Amino acid sequence: MRHPEVVVAGAGQAGLAAAYHLRRSGLVPDRDFVVLDGSPRPGGAWQFRWPSLTYGRVHGMHALPGMELTGADPQRSSAEVVGGYFAAYEDAFGLRVRRPVRVHAVREDPDAPGRLRVETSDGVWSARALINATGTWERPFWPRYPGQETFRGRQLHTADYPGPYDDAFTGRRVVVTGGGTSAVQHLLEISEVAAGTLWVTRRPPVFTTGPFDAERGREAVARVERRVRDGLPPRSVVSVTGLPVTEAVERARERGLLDRLPPFERITPDGVAWADGRTARADTLLWATGFRPVVRHLAPLRLREPGGGIRLDGTRAVRDPRVHLVGYGPSASTIGANRAGRAAVREIRALLGHPAPAGG
């Protein structure tokens, strides 16, 4: 049993931002706090992004606190660019991330009242506070439809999307389901090689033009925060900002590529069918239907509200002030994750009885 003051679970954007502020506040890695990451290497969820997502096509990537990402080749894959940046960041600030370490459960420590028992694939830690930054990538959401098990083609999720130059897409009829930016990126790529594509969304997509300025950003975050304050499962910030109109998106709209269809009623062995009798043949179903927060390991603490979400006051779980969620709900964007990491550390220092440093 090891006894750091703080355990940080996850070393993506939010986890590294929190670790940076812990380090800056005077806490010592491996003695006062430990960062555990379930991924095999630095990069958070970015390391798993599809190869065709180049850094130049990444939407809304913000640098980590204290170290800018400069000189990146926009033609390199985002997985390589961000993975290398995160690795350099960990080294620059001596964060000593332990990986791969999976957090299995967090519960009350029966041997140390007031502390949390963090059970992992690499032993047990007893901590006074937890910063949970486990993200969403490991929990892709797959909708269920009647007949889904009868489909004779391939079904893929964004989490396993290999890029457009795959047998699942080349010369195939592809149905892409989902209304976010990933769905649009997939459609634009796949349309270049597929025999045909259809786009299915739950509601008509909202395309936005103009800069995503600070006022629009605050409004989007506020909408997500309201759900979290009400104890409801969070929606991502991206889901309330609309789809940005780039030149490529405008061309696709002119071609009719982004003419969406409403959700189908069922899946058939050879495609999909709607309630009004329409059908479409398909060889591949690609689900760009998003992800859910990875928080199952927190279940022993009973943090969920009746609405299904974890209610937060800032980053602090209302039902247990020792637990802070960063990269969750309103802090799921990269800039939100940076701010949440700093806010969580300020509150944890107060919990531990350490005053915040000047300017910290």
Side-chain angles (χ1 to χ4, degrees):
M1 176 88 67
R2 288 151 284 190
H3 297 78
E5 297 282 79
V6 184
V7 169
V8 180
Q13 184 98 14
L16 290 183
Y20 166 84
H21 287 293
L22 287 169
R23 187 85 161 90
R24 186 167 176 261
S25 70
L27 297 179
V28 178
D30 276 351
R31 188 190 73 192
D32 301 322
F33 73 93
V34 62
V35 185
L36 311 177
D37 187 36
S39 297
R41 53 190 176 276
W46 290 98
Q47 65 192 274
F48 306 114
R49 296 293 199 268
W50 51 100
S52 55
L53 181 61
T54 59
Y55 182 68
R57 297 174 61 198
V58 167
H59 176 63
M61 169 67 191
H62 291 267
L64 285 159
M67 180 175 160
E68 293 295 320
L69 199 176
T70 59
D73 182 353
Q75 300 305 313
R76 285 185 68 201
S77 75
S78 60
E80 293 178 355
V81 171
V82 180
Y85 169 56
F86 279 20
Y89 189 87
E90 292 174 16
D91 289 343
F93 296 105
L95 299 181
R96 304 177 192 169
V97 177
R98 295 170 178 254
R99 61 169 57 91
V101 179
R102 316 284 302 182
V103 177
H104 299 315
V106 182
R107 63 183 83 247
E108 291 288 340
D109 188 338
D111 301 319
R115 297 180 73 92
L116 297 167
R117 177 183 172 94
V118 183
E119 301 169 358
T120 81
S121 60
D122 188 35
V124 177
W125 275 263
S126 177
R128 294 178 64 189
L130 171 76
I131 297 178
N132 193 80
T134 45
T136 63
W137 186 260
E138 295 179 2
R139 199 180 164 204
F141 174 65
W142 290 74
R144 305 306 303 172
Y145 283 88
Q148 197 160 5
E149 71 283 353
T150 71
F151 184 64
R152 289 193 284 255
R154 288 183 63 183
Q155 296 189 58
L156 299 167
H157 190 277
T158 291
D160 11 77
Y161 177 63
Y165 305 109
D166 186 89
D167 289 344
F169 310 116
T170 303
R172 309 292 185 181
R173 295 161 297 188
V174 183
V175 176
V176 178
T177 299
T181 53
S182 293
V184 172
Q185 290 174 348
H186 297 338
L187 272 166
L188 267 58
E189 291 187 337
I190 292 168
S191 67
E192 301 295 327
V193 299
T197 60
L198 292 176
W199 187 27
V200 174
T201 68
R202 282 192 302 164
R203 58 181 65 89
V206 177
F207 291 94
T208 59
T209 57
F212 186 72
D213 56 21
E215 182 178 351
R216 286 175 64 185
R218 284 192 295 269
E219 179 184 351
V221 169
R223 290 171 64 185
V224 180
E225 281 181 335
R226 284 195 291 271
R227 288 184 60 87
V228 172
R229 283 200 304 269
D230 292 340
L232 298 172
R235 295 176 65 190
S236 69
V237 173
V238 173
S239 73
V240 298
T241 60
L243 297 166
V245 177
T246 64
E247 290 184 10
V249 168
E250 192 58 55
R251 290 194 299 269
R253 293 173 71 186
E254 292 171 358
R255 291 165 48 202
L257 180 64
L258 299 181
D259 293 341
R260 56 80 66 169
L261 294 170
F264 39 82
E265 181 185 54
R266 67 187 187 280
I267 298 173
T268 68
D270 299 312
V272 295
W274 284 263
D276 61 6
R278 285 181 297 168
T279 62
R281 296 179 67 83
D283 303 299
T284 302
L285 305 179
L286 177 57
W287 302 98
T289 45
F291 300 78
R292 299 292 184 265
V294 178
V295 292
R296 201 164 298 163
H297 54 286
L298 302 178
L301 297 175
R302 301 181 182 274
L303 303 180
R304 287 191 185 275
E305 300 293 332
I310 299 175
R311 189 154 58 100
L312 302 183
D313 178 9
T315 65
R316 183 176 57 234
V318 170
R319 289 179 178 264
D320 193 328
R322 298 168 298 179
V323 178
H324 290 254
L325 276 70
V326 296
Y328 176 90
S331 64
S333 67
T334 53
I335 190 169
N338 286 352
R339 292 170 178 166
R342 179 176 181 176
V345 170
R346 288 180 66 88
E347 294 192 6
I348 285 173
R349 286 185 62 85
L351 176 71
L352 301 180
H354 302 314

